[in-house]
Amino acid sequence: MDFNYQDIRKDFPILDQQVNKRPWVYFDNAATTQRPLPVVEKIREFSLQTNANIHRGTHAHAIRTTEAYENARDIVRDFLHAKEREEIIFTHGTTESINLVARSFCEKFLSEGDEIIVTEMEHHANIVPWQMACERHHASLKVLPFADNGTLKTELLESLISDRTKILAVAHVSNTLGTVNPIKEIIRIAHSHNIPVLVDGAQSAPHTTIDVQDLDCDFFAFSGHKIYGPTGIGVLYGKRSWLDAMPPFLGGGEMIDRVTFEKTTYNELPHKFEAGTPHYVGAIAMGSAIQYIENIGIDKIASYEHQLLNYATDQMKALKNLKIFGESPEKTGVICFQLDQIHPFDLGTLLDQLGIAVRTGRLCADPVMDHFGVTAMTRASFTFYNTIEEIDSFVAALKRIRLMF
Ligand code: PMP
């Protein structure tokens, strides 16, 4: 690894603590990431030194917060390589971003008898909003399955597409299998049938370079709290042509141009989709988080995380009766597994006793559980502030727990 590890770790003081009298090992990064000092300092600055509601004031603090918020939009635009800053909408997170599209796009473009395609490995956030839209519009959901090794059966996509398909929604990276999906290829196929594609980037934005113009995706969603920023803030990127054509999602202040009781006209992009007071401190702090990882270098982060993934996979596979779910050749640092017959809840609790935080349960992906015929899984997920030594402690803990059963 060629970035200064000690310095990075110093930026995340939360990691330097004990849980159950052991050094805390945080392997729940796919659920939420920790925030580095510059992000915490930004929140502090915009709480203790500068605060006023944005866009509505002529006074100094209102101008400062507005500038910082709009600057965050430029940071996100650069980060996603979007063509225009107006294509960046701040939301409360990936879930809201997807709901925005499922509500607003479908209101305009989905009719009775139409179809929407999702994949079998989606997080519930990229299933349920589409199901709800299908119910509202009497349309139906079609599902692209994945193979047992966790790769999507992209070769089946053409056979799922019909002239009634109105949109395709797919995760860039699966939150359970860790699979990096071939979204460029999926988008190419969908576009050859004039079908727009929404990419759920919740698990990819923190770990890979994103270029929405190169991908040519129509929508891209991600969350601040999974990219070392605050909770309650997220992003929807949408191509201007779609966003212009879509009706507003929420009504209220800021999204309007002129209101009378007879008729209301709507604001320009991006404000048309940002009703009410946004989480402007969150947006500003998320901007700092993005700058933080860009300063380290996303490619360096990705390559180090790959080393962690490969090392952990090898160590875990060496354990008898440990099954890993999802072994796609293209993966990020997410490992879902089952150890012997130990129930994931027991395993998670015992790991916690040894100071190690993992996630257990259905991981907001019931169809993935159903695919493998299990009721729950255990998930360890790594990021650039984790270490080989932490993986060693984790594997030693697994060995120890197995002996107890
Ligand atoms: N999609 C994926 C792939 C996710 O991993 C998550 C979060 N676990 C979401 C969507 C939802 O993100 P949020 O809860 O931040 O809205």
Side-chain angles (χ1 to χ4, degrees):
M1 157 178 129
D2 55 356
F3 54 85
N4 187 334
Y5 181 71
Q6 296 305 332
D7 282 354
I8 284 172
R9 194 85 180 183
K10 266 190 241 143
D11 285 338
F12 294 88
I14 193 170
L15 298 172
D16 184 21
Q17 62 174 294
Q18 301 219 324
V19 168
N20 293 320
K21 302 200 175 91
R22 311 252 175 178
W24 190 39
V25 174
Y26 183 72
F27 280 176
D28 196 14
N29 294 288
T32 200
T33 48
Q34 303 303 339
R35 295 185 269 276
L37 285 174
V39 171
V40 177
E41 253 130 44
K42 200 51 98 176
I43 297 169
R44 203 179 139 84
E45 180 190 335
F46 279 85
S47 306
L48 296 183
Q49 290 165 31
T50 306
N51 186 38
N53 207 334
I54 56 165
H55 289 145
R56 299 156 205 205
T58 47
H59 61 85
H61 280 241
I63 292 166
R64 267 184 241 155
T65 42
T66 302
E67 280 175 3
Y69 179 74
E70 291 303 332
N71 181 49
R73 200 185 306 278
D74 289 330
I75 294 171
V76 173
R77 187 203 98 134
D78 289 349
F79 175 63
L80 294 180
H81 299 92
K83 200 161 152 201
E84 301 176 46
R85 65 190 312 282
E86 291 78 12
E87 296 176 318
I88 306 299
I89 313 291
F90 287 119
T91 64
H92 290 109
T94 307
T95 303
E96 187 184 299
S97 299
I98 298 172
N99 274 276
L100 189 163
V101 180
R103 173 67 68 137
S104 178
F105 175 94
C106 293
E107 192 173 319
K108 177 89 185 232
F109 297 107
L110 196 73
S111 311
E112 186 166 348
D114 283 343
E115 293 161 1
I116 293 174
I117 300 179
V118 296
T119 87
E120 192 188 6
M121 67 170 75
E122 299 309 312
H123 185 283
H124 295 162
N126 205 22
I127 300 175
V128 184
W130 303 113
Q131 243 169 359
M132 290 163 67
C134 285
E135 270 173 33
R136 271 196 309 276
H137 299 280
H138 307 287
S140 55
L141 205 61
K142 287 191 162 180
V143 183
L144 181 67
F146 63 83
D148 288 345
N149 73 349
T151 53
L152 273 181
K153 294 190 174 176
T154 311
E155 69 280 6
L156 299 181
L157 182 54
E158 287 278 2
S159 65
L160 283 184
I161 291 174
S162 79
D163 56 3
R164 301 307 304 264
T165 312
K166 286 294 151 69
I167 190 164
L168 186 155
V170 58
H172 195 176
V173 170
S174 155
N175 70 312
T176 47
L177 308 166
T179 312
V180 182
N181 286 319
I183 48 165
K184 203 167 169 181
E185 172 64 1
I186 290 172
I187 292 164
R188 192 193 59 74
I189 296 170
H191 282 181
S192 71
H193 297 270
N194 293 324
I195 299 165
V197 178
L198 176 139
V199 176
D200 173 352
Q203 297 293 345
S204 64
H207 308 289
T208 38
T209 300
I210 307 293
D211 186 331
V212 291
Q213 290 190 75
D214 179 53
L215 292 172
D216 201 22
C217 56
D218 300 274
F219 302 98
F220 188 95
F222 72 92
S223 297
H225 72 101
K226 291 190 199 285
I227 193 162
Y228 318 100
T231 53
I233 184 76
V235 169
L236 172 69
Y237 157 82
K239 279 185 185 164
R240 177 188 272 279
S241 51
W242 289 119
L243 294 177
D244 272 336
M246 284 158 50
F249 174 46
L250 300 174
E254 202 62 43
M255 51 75 73
I256 51 88
D257 166 40
R258 179 83 179 90
V259 178
T260 65
F261 287 113
E262 289 69 41
K263 181 166 173 61
T264 290
T265 51
Y266 303 123
N267 205 341
E268 304 273 294
L269 290 175
H271 311 294
K272 173 177 144 186
F273 288 107
E274 293 182 0
T277 301
H279 184 12
Y280 54 87
V281 180
I284 295 164
M286 179 173 65
S288 290
I290 290 172
Q291 285 179 324
Y292 181 86
I293 54 172
E294 283 179 332
N295 282 341
I296 296 173
I298 311 248
D299 289 346
K300 280 188 196 167
I301 287 176
S303 112
Y304 176 62
E305 289 176 352
H306 258 101
Q307 287 174 39
L308 293 178
L309 171 71
N310 291 342
Y311 182 77
T313 306
D314 290 348
Q315 298 295 308
M316 290 168 76
K317 277 178 134 178
L319 298 181
K320 233 176 81 197
N321 289 339
L322 186 142
K323 176 177 167 52
I324 292 179
F325 300 100
E327 296 200 73
S328 159
E330 296 289 329
K331 265 191 87 166
T332 59
V334 170
I335 303 183
C336 272
F337 65 100
Q338 169 71 42
L339 181 63
D340 276 333
Q341 299 303 313
I342 308 171
H343 193 279
F345 291 133
D346 294 332
L347 184 56
T349 307
L350 290 166
L351 283 169
D352 181 57
Q353 292 300 308
L354 299 170
I356 298 165
V358 293
R359 183 133 299 236
T360 58
R362 304 179 67 78
L363 309 174
C364 293
D366 281 359
V368 174
M369 304 299 127
D370 294 344
H371 179 107
F372 290 105
V374 298
T375 53
M377 290 181 184
T378 307
R379 179 180 72 191
S381 51
F382 320 108
T383 193
F384 64 89
Y385 46 63
N386 292 125
T387 66
I388 294 286
E389 292 72 31
E390 288 179 325
I391 292 172
D392 287 338
S393 315
F394 168 61
V395 173
L398 292 178
K399 287 182 185 158
R400 191 168 156 192
I401 291 167
R402 205 184 33 201
L403 286 179
M404 291 163 57
F405 275 79

